[in-house]
Amino acid sequence: MRTGDTAQLIDMAGLEALFGALHERDYTIIGPAVRDGTVTMAELDTAAELPWGWSADTEPGRYRLRRRADEAGFAHCAGPQSVKNVLHPPRARLWSADRTADGITTTGPEPPAERYALVGVHPCDVAALAVLDRVLAHGEHPDPVYTARRDGTLVVTAECTEPGGTCFCASMGTGPAATGGYDLALTELIDGGHRFLIRAGSPAGADLLALLPARPASPTDVAAADTAVEHAAATMPRRMPDRPLPELIAANRESPYWADVASRCLTCGNCTMVCPTCFCVSTTDVTDLSGEHAERWRQWDSCFSVGFSYLHGGPVRPGGASRYRQWISHKLGTWHEQFGMSGCVGCGRCTAWCPAGIDITREAAALAGDPS
């Protein structure tokens, strides 16, 4: 819960001042913006580029922008992109090698030319960032591409006050309130004037907050922010079964229900592409015709691809049922064994962007024997 002595208040000019302070510190600002019929992550110059007055209607297999009756800028649900696209890019060069008179010269990944400030990231995506950190930065072999982009990144989260039709972060414990992992947290308030409750979550965030034209938040403002976030949690339309998911998945390994899912699943991999925590990649080696230069590139891959599980002699998971089972079993079950946390943050992207309209919460409920 917010407290009056830690929460402050800024207006629209204060939000623009935040952008200015970030630019002065040489951050490249990445935040939500309306692009190609979606609210997606893009490079922003000013706060005016945020999706003011836009929201999105989402259902299984459906995403449509909608004009709002107000000018809220952070009341949209998760779009097709997340911070994963910035910090774990879809394609990256791992190394290159050149034959010279002195032998072979190799170079590693190119260091990023920018330092990122992620502004307006919803709490579910902040939770996804913690998952990627655990997998790609804090393991025995940190990923050099991810860590180079992640180091020095500043996170400004925007708490959710209006859930989307496919959201279920409340049942995953990842939102709609911001509970950690951020440098600054915003809660947008519309009634009584457009303003933002703002809190620091790190020394870097506190330094930035000190530069803004902020004033102490009144108890009324704090209560309004609490009420808005609590209402979002209470009205969230979807939820995961209220039982331990790893045990549920393990108990249903041989369930005939996997065949039912496979009859609908196109194995297109859309769910893994839009998922903010799916991190699997494949690698490709390329060389020029002279044999003097070679490179190794990696690109996102998906466990829905038939070639992903290829071993000598053929793929281990040739059918759609086994590939969907692998994805949901890892996401909701064995991820806990590997990384000590769930691989799902309840953003709902996999449901909204599935062309067959497969709903992960409904599939989990069916495995649990819940007719709803």
Side-chain angles (χ1 to χ4, degrees), residues 271-285:
C271 52
T272 58
M273 297 297 105
V274 297
C275 176
T277 67
C278 278
F279 59 88
C280 289
V281 295
S282 60
T283 58
T284 302
D285 291 337

Side-chain angles (χ1 to χ4, degrees), residues 8-34:
Q8 298 191 57
L9 209 65
I10 60 172
D11 56 15
M12 295 290 285
L15 187 65
E16 195 64 70
L18 172 62
F19 272 65
L22 291 171
H23 283 308
E24 287 178 3
R25 297 187 176 199
D26 294 325
Y27 283 102
T28 295
I29 301 174
I30 305 293
V34 175

Side-chain angles (χ1 to χ4, degrees), residues 293-318:
H293 179 78
E295 295 180 347
R296 172 166 291 177
W297 288 80
R298 78 164 185 214
Q299 51 277 330
W300 288 355
D301 205 346
S302 171
C303 52
F304 282 95
S305 168
V306 68
F308 186 77
S309 66
Y310 182 87
L311 296 176
H312 180 67
V316 174
R317 293 183 285 273

Side-chain angles (χ1 to χ4, degrees), residues 3-139:
T3 58
D5 59 342
T6 59
Q8 298 191 57
L9 209 65
I10 60 172
D11 56 15
M12 295 290 285
L15 187 65
E16 195 64 70
L18 172 62
F19 272 65
L22 291 171
H23 283 308
E24 287 178 3
R25 297 187 176 199
D26 294 325
Y27 283 102
T28 295
I29 301 174
I30 305 293
V34 175
R35 299 284 192 278
D36 300 323
T38 68
V39 174
T40 192
M41 301 298 288
E43 184 174 338
L44 306 179
D45 289 324
T46 71
E49 297 175 85
L50 290 165
W52 303 112
W54 287 101
S55 187
D57 293 325
T58 59
E59 292 297 335
R62 185 177 187 275
Y63 178 102
R64 294 291 186 275
L65 280 184
R66 167 176 55 86
R67 260 296 180 185
R68 300 177 55 82
D70 56 38
E71 289 300 311
F74 299 111
H76 54 86
C77 58
Q81 290 188 346
S82 66
V83 296
K84 180 180 78 171
N85 296 66
V86 178
L87 303 180
H88 182 54
R91 191 167 184 265
R93 192 181 72 180
L94 299 181
W95 54 258
S96 65
D98 291 281
R99 192 189 305 276
T100 67
D102 298 323
I104 303 296
T105 301
T106 61
T107 58
E110 294 182 2
E114 301 159 306
R115 186 172 59 145
Y116 299 105
L118 308 175
V119 176
V121 180
H122 285 324
C124 62
D125 278 347
V126 176
L129 189 56
V131 174
L132 293 179
D133 286 348
R134 176 68 181 85
V135 174
L136 299 175
H138 300 157

Side-chain angles (χ1 to χ4, degrees), residues 240-251:
M240 277 290 180
D242 189 20
R243 58 182 292 188
L245 294 177
E247 288 83 347
L248 170 64
I249 299 297

Side-chain angles (χ1 to χ4, degrees), residues 37-371:
T38 68
V39 174
T40 192
M41 301 298 288
E43 184 174 338
L44 306 179
D45 289 324
T46 71
E49 297 175 85
L50 290 165
W52 303 112
W54 287 101
S55 187
D57 293 325
T58 59
E59 292 297 335
R62 185 177 187 275
Y63 178 102
R64 294 291 186 275
L65 280 184
R66 167 176 55 86
R67 260 296 180 185
R68 300 177 55 82
D70 56 38
E71 289 300 311
F74 299 111
H76 54 86
C77 58
Q81 290 188 346
S82 66
V83 296
K84 180 180 78 171
N85 296 66
V86 178
L87 303 180
H88 182 54
R91 191 167 184 265
R93 192 181 72 180
L94 299 181
W95 54 258
S96 65
D98 291 281
R99 192 189 305 276
T100 67
D102 298 323
I104 303 296
T105 301
T106 61
T107 58
E110 294 182 2
E114 301 159 306
R115 186 172 59 145
Y116 299 105
L118 308 175
V119 176
V121 180
H122 285 324
C124 62
D125 278 347
V126 176
L129 189 56
V131 174
L132 293 179
D133 286 348
R134 176 68 181 85
V135 174
L136 299 175
H138 300 157
E140 186 176 351
H141 302 287
D143 177 77
V145 176
Y146 179 83
T147 54
R149 289 170 169 262
R150 178 69 171 99
D151 290 347
T153 294
L154 188 123
V155 178
V156 181
T157 187
E159 294 189 300
C160 289
T161 56
E162 184 177 306
T166 54
C167 295
F168 58 99
C169 66
S171 65
M172 300 304 295
T174 58
T179 58
Y182 59 83
D183 297 288
L184 287 171
L186 300 171
T187 313
E188 187 173 26
L189 299 172
I190 298 294
D191 294 340
H194 205 159
R195 62 209 189 282
F196 306 88
L197 205 74
I198 185 168
R199 296 169 289 145
S202 72
D207 288 344
L208 275 171
L209 183 53
L211 300 175
L212 306 183
R215 63 183 187 274
S218 70
T220 300
D221 290 321
V222 173
D226 283 339
T227 299
V229 175
E230 290 165 3
H231 181 263
T235 57
M236 202 159 289
R238 283 172 165 76
R239 64 177 297 106
M240 277 290 180
D242 189 20
R243 58 182 292 188
L245 294 177
E247 288 83 347
L248 170 64
I249 299 297
N252 285 278
R253 177 174 174 78
E254 303 303 328
S255 171
Y257 193 71
W258 300 118
D260 178 84
V261 180
S263 70
R264 294 173 279 131
C265 178
L266 304 177
T267 66
C268 65
N270 263 22
C271 52
T272 58
M273 297 297 105
V274 297
C275 176
T277 67
C278 278
F279 59 88
C280 289
V281 295
S282 60
T283 58
T284 302
D285 291 337
V286 296
T287 185
D288 63 7
L289 293 177
S290 69
E292 301 298 315
H293 179 78
E295 295 180 347
R296 172 166 291 177
W297 288 80
R298 78 164 185 214
Q299 51 277 330
W300 288 355
D301 205 346
S302 171
C303 52
F304 282 95
S305 168
V306 68
F308 186 77
S309 66
Y310 182 87
L311 296 176
H312 180 67
V316 174
R317 293 183 285 273
S322 60
R323 278 179 262 159
Y324 187 88
R325 182 180 66 182
Q326 158 63 24
W327 176 68
I328 198 171
S329 296
H330 190 208
K331 186 68 59 179
L332 302 180
T334 55
W335 205 298
H336 289 268
E337 298 176 19
Q338 280 187 286
F339 307 116
M341 57 175 60
S342 174
C344 177
V345 296
C347 68
R349 288 183 175 92
C350 60
T351 299
W353 294 93
C354 173
I358 295 174
D359 180 349
I360 189 174
T361 62
R362 186 172 297 173
E363 309 310 327
L367 289 173
D370 184 350

